[in-house]
Amino acid sequence: MCASISGFSKLSKSKKIDWIVETYFSNAEDAKRILKQYWNTNDKLQQLHDEFIENTITNYYLPLGVAPNFLINGKLYTIPMAIEESSVVAAASKAAKFWMDRGGFKTEVISTTKIGQVHFMFQGDFETLQRFFNDIKSKLIQEASHITKNMQKRGGGILDIELRNKTQDIQGYYQLHASFETLDAMGANFINSCLEQFAKTFKNEALNFEGFSAEEKNIQIVMSILSNYVPDCLVRAEVSCKIEDLYEDDSILPEEFALKFIQAVKIAEVEPYRAVTHNKGIMNGIDAVVLATGNDFRAIEACVHAYASRNGTYSSLSHAKIEDGIFTFWIEIPLALGTVGGLTGLHPLVKLSLELLHHPSAKELMQIVAVAGLAQNFAALKSLTTTGIQQGHMKMHLMNILNQFNATDAEKSTLTNHFKTNTVTHSAVAEAIEKLRM
Ligand code: MEV
């Protein structure tokens, strides 16, 4: 049945649930039981989660796993990862161990600039607008000082504001394009508050600017909002070793592995169909850490994919080369992350994840997240160019299949053993469990 309701948000949680289960579920009692099963028994903790968003009816769990042995710039980390995909944490751990034995990951933050824009319409002469902007630029910054004071004390704040003429794209369209340094905060609220103040000052000052005609004075602010595209908030992560040190076992020669690996990366550099999947593998690692540390994975995703298309074609985020017998694999990626503000001080598991990472600064977190992406990509390409992806993937997926068959602990133990030496497919597991139960 489809139904609409007014005033839903004003109902109590239990009334909301009653309406949902009675309106949409054939077995209302069962639906209610499932929703309640996921509540926390600690009322205060549950209330905290209820209040993150509106209309909370229950919690949606994801596993929080950890991948140890990440050696980054000589320091060891155990990285927290919140993700549902079976093979991701295992792959990250394997790649971490592989590179720990070969010198670890080297990382560097290249830049940390964030961007925000006031989009506005102006009907008049650009040169006069430019003169007006030059006249009031310092006032724009000064009138935002009540917002920037604390950030400035810590070494951040507004870096610059530019006037941009966008009339070639849309008649009458201009921007105040501002750059910011937000230190350990992701900075969305800070940037948006600054932008809204710029817009207010800009509009008011225009009314008093003598160089404008009556029509020019009437600047129309369309919107003021940060940009999640931060190509100048960049971090680089890299691994490298002598080709012969890539040796793991006799299944493939290190030279052959290095060449195949590089071919796989080159394919992702030129072929968008492959690049999307290649980058998806990178985001398996990145999103999991971003989520575990309470950051906004939608913002990160949107930015990263725009960055992957910056040259006009969607392409690989990672690159590889062999030079003078040295294999190097690296990623350069924009990541606007925060380790203060937002959920970081609220969600108990986010706080725990940040403590696990030794309370990193935003810059340090950028490096850890980039490493998680590179490691994930290395693990995927290593499997793809050697054994194929399904062997490892299905091994990790085995538990999900067993759970689909409601396997008991004893059955799980027997079948996990069995599939150590047999290929995991859905039908092979079905057959094995049937045999076992007979
Ligand atoms: C699966 O989640 C990710 C991979 O498809 C990535 C890749 O193909 O590189 C394995």
Side-chain angles (χ1 to χ4, degrees), residues 85 88 274 277-278 280-282 284 377 380-381 384 389 393:
E85 191 174 326
V88 168
R274 173 57 202 150
T277 317
H278 178 97
K280 187 272 182 190
I282 293 173
N284 277 346
N377 193 211
L381 294 181
L384 286 166
I389 203 75
H393 189 74

Side-chain angles (χ1 to χ4, degrees), residues 100-121:
M100 186 177 71
D101 298 338
R102 291 162 179 82
F105 295 82
K106 306 279 180 300
T107 60
E108 178 196 1
V109 171
I110 297 166
S111 49
T112 55
T113 303
K114 317 255 170 76
I115 299 295
Q117 298 169 318
V118 177
H119 305 267
F120 67 95
M121 309 307 283

